[in-house]
Amino acid sequence: MSKYYAAKGEENSIFRSWEDCKAFLEGKKGYKYKSFSTEEEARAFLKGEDYYNASIENDLKSGYAVCYTDGSFEDGVNGYSYGVVAFSPDGGKEEFCGKGEEEGFLPSRNVAGEVLGALAAAKWAVVNGFYNLKIYHDYEGLSKWAKGEWAAKSPVAAYYVSEFSKYSGALTVEFVKVKGHSNNLYNEEVDSLAKAALFEGREMPVSGRFLKVSGEDAYKEICEYVHAQAPKAEWKDYPDGTVFSLGGEKLAVKVRRGATLVAGGGEKLYAVAVAAAISRDKGLIGRLIERAYGFAPLKDITDGYTASAELIRSFGGEECGKFLFFALSELSAAVKGELEEKGVKYDRILSLFDREKDGFRFKKRTYGFDLATEEAFNAFYRYRTEYFTKDYGRGEAEKALDDIARFCGVKDGKKKR
């Protein structure tokens, strides 16, 4: 690819070859000069304008989120890495980077890092609820593979196509190829981030999770469920959906091309929304949990208790209270099932109880003295009340899960019925 050479001084000029630019500069003092990939960049330099910032500003004004990405590789390190600089439509800027060592990807060298960078950019856009994303990159294959113009023959290409397909319908991506190492400010910045990840072990991953649910009708059901389970959450409606916020966590529930997208930090509000999606078809609980949290469980997940147990097992190194919500949903269903079997009618379940110092007791006139169901409701109420206010380590979460198990038809880790 040819370059443009801009010389700036008393007389400004643009040249198509370094020889011509060098001849022009001979004998001249105080001139500044740079090479560029496009004439537009060269002209912006001569005008004293920041071409890259102006380009990003135009993208953001047009409704795009913007990411610059790059990858790196080094034989001696035996690994590959990526760097991402992300700009949200409101002007916010974030940086991400990380390293990979998958043996099957190593032959692809820096391309493996390029792939991780593009996937990190897509994830960042989706978990933040953005629909239109523009990715600036310097490896052509990212767009060719995503569009099906190149066959995904290598292991890393096949992985990229498979992972990128998960964003279908949730995200519209426009790829813009830029020449690497050509005085592009942000391309140089992501290159530095990738090298920091590769050589210094710097890790700044994209946080958050998302779940795509079939059907736009799921949007209303999920929003109503979140409102009911998290009444203190603030929310704001947008043309394409609703964004909830509570305790620093944000959750976006939006309509996306025949589907409903749930995206956010992956914490407590997110678990509530996932539970709402599961309630639409409990036969899909295993598949939805796997998609929502990105892990392959050891056991078949067929109920909320098992979902909580498997999530705590897989992610036990962090706060685990959020994973109790699925078991609590199972416990709630168990209590309601017992009441229905005995023909108890109610508008609000709390209306069946008197609140005493040591907990809730059934009102004699409505239900008598069914201690097992009474204890189950007390357990549910205690843990459900603490859900948004208390953090649980793995040990605490497992202890709470054992307590819940006594009341929702679970014995030795298995459903009794």
Side-chain angles (χ1 to χ4, degrees), residues 55-372:
S55 176
I56 289 173
E57 287 175 5
N58 288 333
D59 290 338
L60 298 180
K61 287 178 182 178
S62 299
Y64 287 96
V66 176
C67 286
Y68 272 81
T69 70
D70 198 15
S72 189
F73 175 85
E74 181 66 34
D75 285 313
V77 178
N78 200 38
Y80 47 89
S81 62
Y82 71 91
V84 177
V85 175
F87 300 89
S88 57
D90 63 3
K93 179 183 176 183
E94 297 181 70
E95 297 179 346
F96 306 102
C97 63
K99 179 183 176 183
E101 298 176 341
E102 182 71 33
E103 186 174 351
F105 296 170
L106 291 176
S108 294
R109 301 175 68 85
N110 67 298
V111 172
E114 300 275 1
V115 161
L116 293 188
L119 293 175
K123 179 180 179 180
W124 168 81
V126 169
V127 299
N128 282 282
F130 305 136
Y131 182 60
N132 296 307
L133 173 65
K134 189 171 285 192
I135 296 179
Y136 287 84
H137 61 100
D138 62 13
Y139 178 64
E140 188 177 13
L142 295 181
S143 61
K144 297 295 186 182
W145 285 325
K147 296 175 183 178
E149 296 175 4
W150 284 5
K153 296 180 179 180
S154 68
V156 75
Y159 169 77
Y160 174 66
V161 171
S162 175
E163 289 297 303
F164 202 81
S165 68
K166 295 178 181 179
Y167 300 95
S168 176
L171 186 66
T172 297
V173 180
E174 181 177 333
F175 292 92
V176 181
K177 189 178 182 307
V178 296
K179 186 173 178 60
H181 309 290
S182 57
N183 293 318
N184 183 315
L185 175 64
Y186 296 113
N187 208 46
E188 297 298 328
E189 188 172 338
V190 291
D191 178 67
S192 296
L193 284 169
K195 284 182 169 53
L198 190 62
F199 297 108
E200 302 169 17
R202 190 175 183 185
E203 292 282 341
M204 297 189 298
V206 177
S207 62
R209 302 186 183 280
F210 72 95
L211 173 67
K212 190 170 64 173
V213 183
S214 298
E216 294 185 4
D217 58 320
Y219 164 75
K220 182 178 179 181
E221 295 177 29
I222 292 173
C223 285
E224 289 178 347
Y225 191 82
V226 174
H227 277 301
Q229 298 297 325
K232 293 184 179 180
E234 297 179 354
W235 77 92
K236 185 175 182 180
D237 292 325
Y238 293 87
D240 63 341
T242 302
V243 175
F244 297 88
S245 59
L246 179 65
E249 181 188 0
K250 287 189 176 182
L251 173 77
V253 184
K254 298 193 174 184
V255 174
R256 290 285 192 266
R257 290 186 178 179
T260 299
L261 178 70
V262 174
E267 301 301 321
K268 295 180 178 180
L269 277 178
Y270 180 74
V272 171
V274 173
I278 290 169
S279 69
R280 301 181 75 243
D281 187 349
K282 290 191 175 181
L284 297 176
I285 184 171
R287 185 182 305 173
L288 291 174
I289 287 291
E290 184 174 352
R291 290 178 179 176
Y293 290 98
F295 81 106
L298 292 177
K299 299 179 180 179
D300 291 333
I301 296 178
T302 58
D303 58 84
Y305 171 84
T306 307
S308 290
E310 284 293 280
L311 287 165
I312 291 170
R313 176 193 62 78
S314 297
F315 302 98
E318 56 186 89
E319 194 281 314
C320 294
K322 54 183 171 288
F323 299 133
L324 289 175
F325 193 85
F326 304 105
L328 287 172
S329 296
E330 193 75 22
L331 178 54
S332 175
V335 171
K336 291 177 180 178
E338 292 293 335
L339 294 174
E340 289 175 5
E341 283 186 13
K342 296 184 182 301
V344 178
K345 305 294 183 181
Y346 58 91
D347 292 323
R348 295 177 66 251
I349 195 167
L350 276 174
S351 66
L352 302 177
F353 296 87
D354 287 322
R355 188 165 190 171
E356 300 179 4
K357 290 182 179 180
D358 57 347
F360 291 92
R361 297 289 175 265
F362 273 118
K363 295 178 179 178
K364 293 181 182 180
R365 62 182 175 81
T366 58
Y367 197 52
F369 296 97
D370 190 314
L371 294 181

Side-chain angles (χ1 to χ4, degrees), residues 395-408:
E396 288 181 298
E398 290 178 337
K399 184 178 179 181
L401 194 60
D402 287 342
D403 194 20
I404 293 169
R406 295 189 296 123
F407 303 110
C408 62

Side-chain angles (χ1 to χ4, degrees), residues 381-392:
Y381 188 87
R382 179 171 68 257
Y383 291 116
R384 180 64 187 82
T385 301
E386 294 177 346
Y387 181 70
F388 285 108
T389 59
K390 182 178 178 180
D391 291 338
Y392 287 77

Side-chain angles (χ1 to χ4, degrees), residues 4-18 20-26 28 30-36 41-43 45-47:
Y4 293 82
Y5 298 86
K8 182 178 181 181
E10 293 182 7
E11 180 185 354
N12 294 338
S13 296
I14 296 176
F15 304 91
R16 295 302 303 275
S17 73
W18 169 239
D20 290 342
C21 182
K22 185 178 180 181
F24 172 78
L25 291 169
E26 189 172 349
K28 294 182 174 67
Y31 274 71
K32 295 181 180 180
Y33 56 92
K34 277 187 177 183
S35 64
F36 300 93
E41 293 172 276
R43 292 192 181 281
F45 171 72
L46 294 180
K47 293 177 182 178

